[in-house]
Amino acid sequence: MKIAVLVKQVPDTWGVRQLDLETGRVDRNASDRVIDEVGERALEVALTIKDSTSDAEVVVITMGPSQSVDALRKALSMGADSGVHILSDALVGADMLCTAGALAAALRGQAFDLILAGNESTDGRGGIVPAMIAELLGMPALLELDSIDITPSQVSGMRGADHGTVSVHTPLPAVVSVSERTPEARFPSFKGIRTAKKKPVAVQIAEPAALASSVVLTTTSRAARSAGRIVTDDGSSAAASELVQYLADRRLI
């Protein structure tokens, strides 16, 4: 089984996010850069399959600037077999459709049985790229799975719905995105860190003719948070009335 895992290098999930006010894009130098957490969870799904299947191959793919190779090396140290880095200056500011097109081009013709991704990136929150990739590749898609089960012929799982859960399944090959309810990713072992440097990473240059990007027209910094209003309870009903009126004025009740 050949499995592709899509990962993205993002500003530290637990750090402060900042915009570059000149470009309107995320300032990726304002904090440490890491693999998106839900992307690591997708990788964990793939590595779990590899642990139980002798013929499984895991290829991790990312799109981004030159420093994104660090994300690939981290994934390789966790147990992936090889990496693909989609690199082009023209990709700066790529929107979701452009991103999906570049990733689909890298995946097309590679005979992957399963394409795994996180349900959404923490620096974009679009949540639609896996579905776009499935459409571009003509594959079925199972999205936002909370649990996943894979056999040589099909993938199945559970995902949340408005009034409970839904059981879904589809034959392979397929595109699957997982949620943060799937298991946490493993830590790289010392042996994995050493061997990661020897594993192959292919660089693919995206074709400029196929690219398009969104343009931010104006930006402004977020205003500092003002001090909250304190309602003092003196034992009478006045505090409760004041609180109710405060919430009603803001249409919160």
Side-chain angles (χ1 to χ4, degrees):
M1 179 179 288
K2 190 174 183 180
I3 305 170
V5 183
L6 309 180
V7 300
K8 185 178 183 182
Q9 189 182 63
V10 299
D12 190 351
T13 308
W14 303 105
V16 177
R17 308 294 177 80
Q18 295 183 17
L19 288 179
D20 183 325
L21 297 183
E22 292 185 2
T23 64
R25 294 190 287 268
V26 175
D27 185 351
R28 301 188 180 278
N29 296 316
S31 62
D32 293 336
R33 295 182 292 267
V34 299
I35 299 179
D36 208 339
E37 183 180 355
V38 73
E40 285 191 332
R41 291 175 186 262
L43 178 58
E44 178 61 29
V45 171
L47 295 178
T48 300
I49 298 170
K50 182 183 176 182
D51 290 343
S52 60
T53 307
S54 60
D55 63 344
E57 177 188 359
V58 177
V59 181
V60 62
I61 301 173
T62 196
M63 184 182 102
S66 57
Q67 60 264 34
S68 297
V69 71
D70 294 338
L72 291 179
R73 291 298 178 190
K74 169 73 178 298
L76 295 175
S77 71
M78 293 168 67
D81 297 294
S82 62
V84 176
H85 186 187
I86 304 171
L87 176 65
S88 173
D89 291 340
L91 290 170
V92 176
D95 60 15
M96 287 185 288
L97 183 58
C98 172
T99 298
L103 290 169
L107 293 161
R108 189 175 287 113
Q110 298 300 312
F112 287 109
D113 300 292
L114 179 64
I115 299 170
L116 286 165
N119 58 348
E120 62 179 4
S121 64
T122 56
D123 65 342
R125 297 292 187 188
I128 198 67
V129 170
M132 287 179 168
I133 291 172
E135 177 69 17
L136 291 170
L137 295 178
M139 290 184 177
L142 298 185
L143 306 175
E144 300 188 24
L145 296 189
D146 296 333
S147 64
I148 184 171
D149 183 59
I150 298 163
T151 70
S153 60
Q154 80 164 20
V155 55
S156 59
M158 303 289 292
R159 68 181 178 208
D162 290 341
H163 302 290
T165 57
V166 179
S167 176
V168 292
H169 62 87
T170 188
L172 296 176
V175 177
V176 174
S177 70
V178 301
S179 74
E180 293 182 350
R181 292 181 180 270
T182 52
E184 291 185 4
R186 66 192 65 186
F187 289 102
S189 65
F190 179 70
K191 180 180 178 181
I193 294 172
R194 292 183 60 189
T195 57
K197 298 177 181 179
K198 301 178 182 179
K199 294 179 179 179
V201 173
V203 177
Q204 294 187 6
I205 305 300
E207 292 293 336
L211 301 176
S213 62
S214 56
V215 178
V216 178
L217 299 180
T218 61
T219 59
T220 182
S221 57
R222 183 174 60 183
R225 295 181 62 180
S226 59
R229 180 175 174 181
I230 299 175
V231 176
T232 303
D233 183 1
D234 58 3
S236 68
S237 61
S241 298
E242 184 180 352
L243 179 58
V244 169
Q245 188 61 49
Y246 178 85
L247 295 174
D249 291 344
R250 288 157 180 78
R251 297 183 179 181
L252 298 176
I253 58 174

Short mmCIF file of all heavy atoms in Angstrom, two decimals, residues 96 118-121 124-131 143-144 177:
data_model
loop_
_atom_site.label_atom_id
_atom_site.label_comp_id
_atom_site.label_asym_id
_atom_site.label_seq_id
_atom_site.Cartn_x
_atom_site.Cartn_y
_atom_site.Cartn_z
N MET A 96 -6.51 28.73 -1.72
CA MET A 96 -6.79 27.31 -1.52
C MET A 96 -6.89 26.55 -2.84
O MET A 96 -6.43 25.41 -2.94
CB MET A 96 -8.06 27.14 -0.68
CG MET A 96 -7.87 27.49 0.78
SD MET A 96 -9.33 27.14 1.79
CE MET A 96 -10.42 28.46 1.22
N GLY A 118 -4.71 16.50 7.30
CA GLY A 118 -5.51 17.04 8.39
C GLY A 118 -6.73 17.73 7.83
O GLY A 118 -6.77 18.11 6.65
N ASN A 119 -7.75 17.92 8.66
CA ASN A 119 -8.99 18.52 8.15
C ASN A 119 -8.85 20.00 7.82
O ASN A 119 -9.53 20.51 6.93
CB ASN A 119 -10.15 18.30 9.13
CG ASN A 119 -9.88 18.87 10.50
OD1 ASN A 119 -8.75 19.24 10.82
ND2 ASN A 119 -10.90 18.95 11.34
N GLU A 120 -7.97 20.72 8.51
CA GLU A 120 -7.73 22.13 8.20
C GLU A 120 -6.43 22.57 8.85
O GLU A 120 -6.02 22.03 9.87
CB GLU A 120 -8.88 23.01 8.69
CG GLU A 120 -9.10 22.99 10.19
CD GLU A 120 -10.24 23.90 10.63
OE1 GLU A 120 -10.91 24.49 9.76
OE2 GLU A 120 -10.45 24.03 11.84
N SER A 121 -5.78 23.55 8.26
CA SER A 121 -4.54 24.07 8.83
C SER A 121 -4.84 25.14 9.86
O SER A 121 -5.81 25.89 9.72
CB SER A 121 -3.64 24.64 7.72
OG SER A 121 -4.26 25.76 7.11
N GLY A 124 -4.79 28.84 8.46
CA GLY A 124 -5.72 29.24 7.42
C GLY A 124 -7.17 28.97 7.76
O GLY A 124 -8.05 29.77 7.51
N ARG A 125 -7.43 27.78 8.36
CA ARG A 125 -8.78 27.39 8.78
C ARG A 125 -9.76 27.29 7.63
O ARG A 125 -10.95 27.43 7.82
CB ARG A 125 -9.32 28.38 9.82
CG ARG A 125 -8.54 28.44 11.12
CD ARG A 125 -8.66 27.18 11.90
NE ARG A 125 -8.04 27.29 13.23
CZ ARG A 125 -7.89 26.25 14.06
NH1 ARG A 125 -8.31 25.05 13.70
NH2 ARG A 125 -7.32 26.43 15.23
N GLY A 126 -9.26 27.02 6.40
CA GLY A 126 -10.18 26.88 5.28
C GLY A 126 -10.94 25.57 5.32
O GLY A 126 -12.15 25.52 5.18
N GLY A 127 -10.18 24.47 5.50
CA GLY A 127 -10.80 23.16 5.65
C GLY A 127 -11.36 22.56 4.37
O GLY A 127 -12.12 21.59 4.43
N ILE A 128 -11.00 23.10 3.21
CA ILE A 128 -11.59 22.62 1.96
C ILE A 128 -10.56 22.04 1.01
O ILE A 128 -10.91 21.41 0.00
CB ILE A 128 -12.37 23.76 1.28
CG1 ILE A 128 -13.36 23.22 0.25
CG2 ILE A 128 -11.40 24.76 0.64
CD1 ILE A 128 -14.47 22.43 0.83
N VAL A 129 -9.26 22.18 1.29
CA VAL A 129 -8.23 21.72 0.36
C VAL A 129 -8.30 20.21 0.10
O VAL A 129 -8.21 19.79 -1.07
CB VAL A 129 -6.83 22.14 0.85
CG1 VAL A 129 -5.73 21.46 0.03
CG2 VAL A 129 -6.67 23.65 0.76
N PRO A 130 -8.48 19.33 1.11
CA PRO A 130 -8.58 17.89 0.81
C PRO A 130 -9.72 17.56 -0.15
O PRO A 130 -9.57 16.74 -1.06
CB PRO A 130 -8.79 17.25 2.18
CG PRO A 130 -8.15 18.19 3.14
CD PRO A 130 -8.45 19.56 2.58
N ALA A 131 -10.86 18.23 0.01
CA ALA A 131 -11.99 17.99 -0.90
C ALA A 131 -11.67 18.45 -2.31
O ALA A 131 -12.03 17.80 -3.30
CB ALA A 131 -13.24 18.69 -0.37
N LEU A 143 -14.11 12.99 4.71
CA LEU A 143 -13.54 14.18 5.32
C LEU A 143 -13.86 14.27 6.80
O LEU A 143 -14.91 13.84 7.26
CB LEU A 143 -14.08 15.43 4.61
CG LEU A 143 -13.88 15.45 3.09
CD1 LEU A 143 -14.54 16.68 2.48
CD2 LEU A 143 -12.40 15.41 2.73
N GLU A 144 -12.89 14.83 7.55
CA GLU A 144 -13.02 15.12 8.98
C GLU A 144 -13.37 13.88 9.80
O GLU A 144 -14.23 13.90 10.66
CB GLU A 144 -14.06 16.22 9.20
CG GLU A 144 -13.70 17.52 8.52
CD GLU A 144 -14.63 18.66 8.90
OE1 GLU A 144 -15.25 18.59 9.97
OE2 GLU A 144 -14.74 19.61 8.12
N SER A 177 -9.36 13.07 5.13
CA SER A 177 -8.85 14.04 6.10
C SER A 177 -9.31 13.62 7.49
O SER A 177 -10.41 13.09 7.66
CB SER A 177 -9.34 15.46 5.79
OG SER A 177 -10.72 15.61 6.02
#
